[in-house]
Amino acid sequence: MLGKIADAVRSAKTLLLVSHVRPDGDALGSSVAFYHALKSLGKEVVVFNQDKIPDMYRFLPGSEAVVHTLGPVERFDTALLLDCSELSRVGDEADRIASIGTLIAIDHHLSNDGTIPLSLVDTKASSTGEILVDLIDKLGVELTRDIAVNIYTAVVTDTGSFRYSNTTRKTFMLAARLVEAGADPRVVSEQVYETKPLVRLRLMSRAIETLNISRGGEVGSIVLDRRSMKQEDALPEHTEGLVDMVRSVQGVRVAVFYYEMPDGTYKISLRSKGNANVEQVAKTFGGGGHRNASACRMQGNIKDVQEQILAAVDVILRETE
Ligand code: 5GP
Ligand code: MN
């Protein structure tokens, strides 16, 4: 598949790079890294994401090239989906993007509807960035500093700074190569983890006040409603990572974060330790992700949503007891 995708990229003239809504470090790092790679091959490239770039990722070299309005799609002969392999994940422009002649997906999520024939999905890879380096090598593109910083950020954010089970020998070998190519671990960590606005700490405090522990300490959950978000003048990006605080508690096997979005629907982020597969929970409600990190969206009042999620969590916890 890698060879086929490399051939398709080589013969492409005008490419669209697109990733999932509410992009994270891997979505943005991969997209912008591949933007640089394709530019060096003399291609016409547009990087599109429906949502704005969170402030913490604005340091990524080349991130200013990302556009949020797609424009006519007829000019593209090829579209690459990065860090997602289901068209619906790209947001409102999914149908128009689906009409582009050649579709390619590079991804590491478990959820994959198989509708894109040219899909390179490696669920064992730490990040989409890690898979992308294989493609960059195959294309004979030099790993420049700009590419390295973007990929390093993708790897660091998706592995929780080399802590999660997706961190392998290959990940560390890649990290060494990226550092050699000019990525500075301190600079990336500082940008990603130590430039948070104060409002995030306030949200954390609000979220902790809602902490609920159930199933004898195995399940922990927090809630943030629209009112709190508004009162703190917080943005959706400020909620990123809050669920990890819950997973950090001894004995907690599944952590849940119920986030009420501006339109009143809930986004539910799930995290787990060990074998507990929260992708299965998210999939039940139309979402997806990985074994230890997944998410879905649900409508209804918070009590009903919590009840349904906890029932589904109970099922997977029974399976891995
Ligand atoms: P987060 O809670 O950080 O937003 O998402 C956790 C994981 O689930 C990420 O890997 C993310 O890409 C994935 N994810 C989040 N929302 C969805 C969704 O609606 N559908 C699918 N398939 N995956 C999702
Ligand atoms: Mn990813």
Side-chain angles (χ1 to χ4, degrees):
M1 189 48 73
L2 186 65
K4 268 195 192 168
I5 290 178
D7 288 344
V9 169
R10 269 190 215 102
S11 55
K13 270 206 178 79
T14 307
L15 298 99
L16 172 69
L17 300 182
V18 58
S19 189
H20 56 79
V21 292
R22 287 186 53 156
D24 56 16
D26 190 23
L28 290 168
S30 303
S31 303
V32 179
F34 208 48
Y35 168 82
H36 290 296
L38 291 172
K39 278 281 175 195
S40 80
L41 290 171
K43 309 287 184 189
E44 290 284 321
V45 196
V46 171
V47 192
F48 165 78
N49 196 285
Q50 174 169 319
D51 293 327
K52 87 178 243 297
I53 300 183
D55 286 342
M56 63 199 268
Y57 296 124
R58 286 185 192 274
F59 78 98
L60 291 173
S63 60
E64 62 286 347
V66 179
V67 299
H68 307 285
T69 313
L70 186 55
V73 291
E74 292 71 29
R75 61 197 156 133
F76 300 113
D77 50 64
T78 305
L80 255 124
L81 273 73
L82 294 164
D83 203 37
C84 58
S85 39
E86 295 174 316
L87 271 159
S88 59
R89 289 281 290 139
V90 307
D92 300 334
E93 297 284 15
D95 288 345
R96 292 208 301 138
I97 292 170
S99 74
I100 294 170
T102 304
L103 296 177
I104 301 171
I106 298 178
D107 190 20
H108 67 132
H109 289 93
L110 286 174
S111 347
N112 176 4
D113 61 11
T115 53
I116 298 176
L118 283 175
S119 281
L120 184 59
V121 180
D122 179 359
T123 59
K124 295 227 154 49
S126 66
S127 53
T128 297
E130 186 174 303
I131 310 171
L132 202 59
V133 171
D134 292 339
L135 180 59
I136 287 172
D137 288 343
K138 189 93 186 167
L139 289 167
V141 171
E142 186 201 345
L143 207 65
T144 59
R145 185 188 158 274
D146 283 352
I147 294 179
V149 172
N150 277 287
I151 301 277
Y152 186 84
T153 304
V155 174
V156 165
T157 53
D158 260 27
T159 58
S161 305
F162 305 100
R163 286 180 300 135
Y164 303 153
S165 60
N166 56 354
T167 309
T168 63
R169 179 180 181 277
K170 185 176 177 190
T171 317
F172 283 114
M173 298 297 279
L174 172 62
R177 214 183 133 194
L178 296 170
V179 170
E180 197 170 325
D184 184 336
R186 182 196 64 83
V187 170
V188 173
S189 304
E190 201 168 294
Q191 291 294 331
V192 173
Y193 299 112
E194 290 163 3
T195 59
K196 307 271 193 234
L198 190 57
V199 55
R200 196 189 127 86
L201 222 59
R202 296 216 171 94
L203 274 192
M204 232 182 224
S205 152
R206 288 222 180 210
I208 289 178
E209 276 177 32
T210 71
L211 179 67
N212 179 29
I213 299 288
S214 60
R215 223 180 179 276
E218 288 188 344
V219 179
S221 66
I222 49 173
V223 187
L224 269 180
D225 59 18
R226 278 190 282 185
R227 229 180 91 231
S228 306
M229 291 294 291
K230 210 166 178 158
Q231 283 171 349
E232 297 297 352
D233 211 5
L235 296 172
E237 70 190 65
H238 299 143
T239 65
E240 203 179 297
L242 292 185
V243 65
D244 299 321
M245 301 190 291
V246 183
R247 176 167 57 180
S248 74
V249 178
Q250 183 178 34
V252 165
R253 293 172 66 204
V254 172
V256 189
F257 170 37
Y258 302 93
Y259 165 63
E260 190 183 10
M261 296 193 288
D263 69 357
T265 57
Y266 283 92
K267 178 185 169 195
I268 299 102
S269 287
L270 297 133
R271 299 291 185 272
S272 68
K273 285 182 201 151
N275 289 333
N277 182 3
V278 289
E279 195 264 349
Q280 199 179 312
V281 177
K283 205 160 71 182
T284 311
F285 304 105
H290 311 277
R291 185 187 65 190
N292 300 118
S294 69
C296 58
R297 282 150 192 81
M298 288 168 78
Q299 286 178 341
N301 76 54
I302 183 70
K303 287 273 169 290
D304 292 341
V305 168
Q306 283 170 323
E307 213 167 277
Q308 291 184 66
I309 290 286
L310 289 181
V313 166
D314 194 60
V315 171
I316 60 138
L317 287 179
R318 273 172 206 279
E319 280 171 8
T320 48
E321 248 156 17

